[in-house]
Amino acid sequence: MTFQPNLLQGQRAFVTGGGTGICRGIALELARHGCDVAITSRSSTHLDPTADEIRAMGRRAVAVTADVRDPQAVEAAVARTADELGGIDILVTGAAGNFLCMAEHLSPNGFGTVVDIDLKGTFHCAKAALPYLKRRGGVMLNISATLHYVGTPAQLHVACAKAGVDALTRVLAVEWGPYGIRVNGIAPGPIADTEGVRRLLDDASTQRAVETTPLRRLGRIRDVTDAAVFLCSDAASFIAGHTLVVDGGLWLTASRDAFAAPPEVADA
Ligand code: HXC
Ligand code: NAP
C-alpha cells in the first residue's frame, strides 16, 4: 500500500542524520511527498549524494554539516536552511550514536557521548528550530527506540538517552502545542540494512529477533518512513506527545538478551 502522493507539498523539512539509514529514508520520503529538505550530520560524504537524490526528484535540498552536540553549529545549520528554503515546517531529529557495552565497562565519556548526541542534540535542534516552526505551526518528530521499555543489557547509555528523548517529546508537545507545533516520536524496532542493526545484532541475534517478533520479520526502512509521513501529515493533526512504536510487536514479547553480546562479554 502507498499513500496518495504529495501529502506534504510546499513544506520545508530539516532532518538530522539524514544522509544515512533510517533518516536518509525519511528525508527521501518527505521529498517524494513534496517537501524541500535539508539534511545534516557530521560528514558531507553521506549528505551530498542524498541531497543530489532529493534534487533529482525536483525538490530543493540543502546539505549542511553540523555536530548536533554543538548548539552554535546547529543554530547556524538551521538558520542556513531557513534562509535557503524560506522557512522550516518539519524538524526530524534522528542523529544518534550507539555501541554495545555493559554498564560495568562503560566510561563516563562513553555514557556522556551518547547522551550528548541523542538527547542533548535533540534539545539543541528543538531550540534552534523553534523560532521557524512557530511562524506558521509545524511538526517535530523525534526518532527514539524501544530499548528503554525494558532493561536491555549493554544499552544503558542509549536507553537513558532515548528515555530522555521520549520525555522531551511529551513536555514539548505540551509547551509548543499552543504554537500549533505537534511534537511526536517514532520508536523503531530493529530495522534491516541499517547501521543500528549492524552494530547491535549478529546473525544469531537477528534470527532470534525475527522469531520473537509477532509479525516475524525485521523492520524495513519503509515501515519507518511511512510512519514518519503519517505523523508529519494532516492525517495526524490531533496527535501530539505520542511516540509511535514501529517494531512488529517485538517490544511486547522480546527477551532483551536478543542482542549480540558485546565483545567484553563474548570474550569472558
Ligand atoms: C565502549 C566505546 C565504544 C565501544 C566508543 N566508546 N565506542 N566504549 N565500547 N564500542 C567510547 C570511547 O571509548 C570514548 O570514551 C567515548 O565513547 C567517545 O568515543 P569517540 O569515538 O571519541 O566518540 P565520537 O567520535 O564522537 O563517536 C561517537 C560514537 C560513534 C557514538 C562513539 O560510534 C559514532 O559516531 N556513531 C554514529 C553512528 C551510530 O552509532 N549509528 C547507530 C545508531 S543506531 P573514552 O572514555 O575512551 O574517552 C541506534 C539504535 C539502534 O542508535 C537500535 C537497534 C535495535
Ligand atoms: P545511522 O545510519 O548510523 O544514523 C545515525 C546518523 O546520525 C548518521 O547519519 C550520522 O551521520 C548522524 N550522527 C551521528 N552522530 C552525530 C552528531 N554528533 N552530529 C550530527 N549527526 C550525527 O543509524 P540508523 O540505524 O539509521 O539509526 C537512525 C535513527 O534510528 C537513530 O536515532 C537510531 O537511534 C534510531 N533507531 C534505529 C534502529 C535500527 O534498527 N537501526 C532501531 C531503533 C532506533 P555522521 O556520521 O555523518 O555524523
Side-chain angles (χ1 to χ4, degrees), residues 10-14 36-38 60 62 77-91 129 131-137:
Q11 313 256 334
R12 292 83 40 107
F14 181 87
D36 295 324
V37 184
R60 289 180 298 166
V62 179
V78 165
R80 188 180 138 194
T81 297
D83 189 43
E84 290 196 24
L85 301 184
I88 297 175
D89 310 287
I90 296 171
L91 166 66
Y132 305 102
L133 294 174
K134 271 169 95 168
R135 285 185 188 165
R136 58 182 203 188

Side-chain angles (χ1 to χ4, degrees), residues 42 69 96-99 101 107 109-110 113 195-196 199-200 259:
R42 295 164 300 178
R69 291 171 285 193
N98 199 350
F99 49 83
C101 185
S107 71
N109 192 35
T113 294
E195 186 61 23
R199 285 177 183 235
L200 266 58
F259 292 144

Side-chain angles (χ1 to χ4, degrees), residues 177-216:
Y179 298 138
I181 301 170
R182 293 187 298 105
V183 184
N184 288 300
I186 293 176
I191 304 297
D193 302 321
T194 63
E195 186 61 23
V197 158
R198 276 189 285 277
R199 285 177 183 235
L200 266 58
L201 277 76
D202 57 18
D203 288 347
S205 48
T206 298
Q207 182 66 23
R208 282 198 299 279
V210 169
E211 283 164 4
T212 48
T213 298
L215 295 180
R216 293 290 187 272

Side-chain angles (χ1 to χ4, degrees), residues 19-242:
T20 65
I22 291 171
C23 293
R24 173 179 173 277
I26 291 174
L28 292 173
E29 199 58 22
L30 296 182
R32 233 170 254 126
H33 278 278
C35 265
D36 295 324
V37 184
I39 49 177
T40 193
S41 75
R42 295 164 300 178
S43 164
S44 57
T45 317
H46 310 310
L47 301 175
D48 290 339
T50 306
D52 287 342
E53 283 185 72
I54 292 167
R55 290 185 195 107
M57 290 180 212
R59 308 309 321 171
R60 289 180 298 166
V62 179
V64 54
T65 53
D67 189 320
V68 295
R69 291 171 285 193
D70 177 349
Q72 276 147 10
V74 170
E75 214 170 295
V78 165
R80 188 180 138 194
T81 297
D83 189 43
E84 290 196 24
L85 301 184
I88 297 175
D89 310 287
I90 296 171
L91 166 66
V92 180
T93 60
N98 199 350
F99 49 83
L100 286 170
C101 185
M102 298 298 262
E104 185 177 357
H105 304 292
L106 188 62
S107 71
N109 192 35
F111 182 87
T113 294
V114 170
V115 170
D116 283 348
I117 300 171
D118 294 28
L119 176 56
K120 290 171 74 176
T122 299
F123 171 72
H124 299 149
C125 294
K127 289 276 285 184
L130 178 62
Y132 305 102
L133 294 174
K134 271 169 95 168
R135 285 185 188 165
R136 58 182 203 188
V139 172
M140 179 179 187
L141 184 62
N142 300 315
I143 309 305
S144 185
T146 62
L147 302 162
H148 51 295
Y149 295 0
V150 294
T152 307
Q155 288 288 277
L156 177 75
H157 40 317
V158 183
C160 290
K162 295 295 195 183
V165 168
D166 290 357
L168 181 147
T169 296
R170 289 189 289 268
V171 173
L172 293 188
V174 172
E175 292 194 10
W176 295 358
Y179 298 138
I181 301 170
R182 293 187 298 105
V183 184
N184 288 300
I186 293 176
I191 304 297
D193 302 321
T194 63
E195 186 61 23
V197 158
R198 276 189 285 277
R199 285 177 183 235
L200 266 58
L201 277 76
D202 57 18
D203 288 347
S205 48
T206 298
Q207 182 66 23
R208 282 198 299 279
V210 169
E211 283 164 4
T212 48
T213 298
L215 295 180
R216 293 290 187 272
R217 64 170 173 86
L218 291 192
R220 302 179 187 121
I221 289 177
R222 180 61 189 266
D223 296 318
V224 184
T225 65
D226 278 351
V229 169
F230 165 64
L231 286 171
C232 290
S233 76
D234 283 346
S237 64
F238 206 51
I239 300 177
H242 183 71

